[in-house]
Amino acid sequence: MSLIKKPSELNIQGKIKGLIYGQPGMGKTTIALSAPKPLLFDFDKGVHRVNFAHLDGVDTVQVTSYQDFLDVINNENLTPYETLVIDTGGKCLDFMSEYIIKNNPKMGKGNGALTLQGYGERKGLFSSLVKRISLMDKHIIFVAHRDTKTEGDDTRYVPQFGGSSYDSLVTELDLVGYLEANGRERTITFDPTSRNDGKNTCNLPSVMKIPVIVDENGNPTAPNNFFSEHVIKAYAKRLGASKLAGEKYNTLIEELKHEILLITDADSANDFVGRIEAFEHIGNSKAVAGQLLATKAKELGLSFDKETKVYQAPVQKDNAKPSLV
């Protein structure tokens, strides 16, 4: 079986790997729990700050060490859950660092921080974790606090997630969303801007309004389903559109190949050239058609006149023997 795949044959991961960050009190955990069938890993001991109504039907693991997390991942039945919520991602990384040093003290410094080699180990551990969750066919959402980063006279808001190793960690994720409030209205953006970090590989809208789902007394007025309805469904729709485009592309290429097979001489080659624009081209299909035609013309010995832009039949050689007279 060939390892080379056509677009429609690609095995595209349909689960999202994301991070949501913002100031305390923005409802980051609540939004993360709006993903489908979540299991909450409470690394930060902050589950009590979530509106109890939004915890209805949500199972929680109160994590005291990274080993707790591994025990659940390795030994528990996670079939009922579609999303793993890590709250907070920063605290998860802290526990991960402690775990690394405990298993290999040489990875740590005297003050408890990781060595340079230790940070490399943590990056590998984090990458393996994200890949494993993906192989389990589950979404994973990290929640993080907001940090402030000063660049000259400019101030940017970035996730409190990994410190100096943040850039290498975020390469594993599909989405990074910044949650903020303007008056009583909350919005989230996944686009990177001059004032906030972001990542938007799912082509979500630039700014998305977070619906109000509780009244002034904290009583629920609407279901907590923002991430399921507005993020994951949008991503699934884009994947569906990409798959359909891939199927159309493959069908078109097969049609072009069939047309090329029908070319037997200069006239049929020029006829194809005259019709090439009539095809509804997708991506590089027109270029592929040109390459297929050039290969076929070479097989038939046809030459292309650049001035007239037409193919010409090969010149017949005179095989008559010279006269001896």
Side-chain angles (χ1 to χ4, degrees), residues 36-267:
K37 298 180 182 179
L39 173 62
L40 173 62
F41 288 89
D42 182 21
F43 282 85
D44 212 30
K45 297 181 175 63
V47 68
H48 62 280
R49 293 189 288 269
V50 180
N51 188 313
F52 191 75
H54 299 146
L55 291 174
D56 185 28
V58 176
D59 293 339
T60 301
V61 179
Q62 294 183 295
V63 182
T64 60
S65 69
Y66 192 67
Q67 188 62 54
D68 287 347
F69 177 71
L70 291 178
D71 288 344
V72 173
I73 295 296
N74 292 330
N75 304 319
E76 299 282 352
N77 178 20
L78 301 182
T79 304
Y81 311 105
E82 291 185 29
T83 306
L84 304 187
V85 176
I86 311 299
D87 189 7
T88 62
K91 193 63 177 178
C92 174
L93 291 172
D94 290 343
F95 281 172
M96 196 179 285
S97 298
E98 294 173 4
Y99 174 82
I100 291 170
I101 295 173
K102 181 179 179 180
N103 286 279
N104 188 350
K106 293 183 179 179
M107 295 286 183
K109 299 179 181 179
N111 61 1
L114 290 171
T115 62
L116 187 62
Q117 186 179 3
Y119 278 113
E121 181 73 12
R122 190 178 72 173
K123 178 182 181 297
L125 196 59
F126 179 81
S127 177
S128 297
L129 166 64
V130 173
K131 286 182 172 63
R132 181 172 180 186
I133 301 304
S134 294
L135 289 174
M136 294 168 66
D137 197 32
K138 298 185 187 300
H139 306 288
I140 183 167
I141 302 175
F142 296 91
V143 176
H145 296 304
R146 187 187 81 175
D147 205 354
T148 302
K149 184 177 182 180
T150 302
E151 300 173 342
D153 295 331
D154 298 325
T155 298
R156 296 184 69 244
Y157 301 124
V158 298
Q160 201 175 89
F161 189 69
S164 59
S165 60
Y166 164 73
D167 287 341
S168 62
L169 297 177
V170 80
T171 58
E172 302 290 341
L173 305 179
D174 305 308
L175 292 172
V176 175
Y178 175 52
L179 180 65
E180 64 180 338
N182 183 8
R184 296 182 61 84
E185 182 178 282
R186 291 180 304 154
T187 59
I188 188 169
T189 178
F190 294 94
D191 286 351
T193 70
S194 59
R195 61 186 296 275
N196 67 266
D197 198 28
K199 190 174 183 180
N200 190 2
T201 64
C202 300
N203 294 329
L204 297 172
S206 180
V207 178
M208 305 174 74
K209 183 178 178 180
I210 306 298
V212 177
I213 57 174
V214 294
D215 60 22
E216 60 274 9
N217 297 316
N219 299 314
T221 58
N224 183 31
N225 59 9
F226 174 80
F227 214 89
S228 294
E229 292 296 317
H230 300 285
V231 176
I232 291 176
K233 282 190 176 181
Y235 181 54
K237 183 178 180 181
R238 186 175 75 84
L239 288 182
S242 297
K243 183 178 181 180
L244 181 61
E247 292 172 350
K248 288 182 177 180
Y249 175 86
N250 289 335
T251 300
L252 174 58
I253 295 300
E254 291 303 315
E255 182 181 355
L256 291 170
K257 288 180 177 179
H258 177 71
E259 291 283 338
I260 293 294
L261 286 175
L262 299 178
I263 296 176
T264 58
D265 53 25
D267 288 340

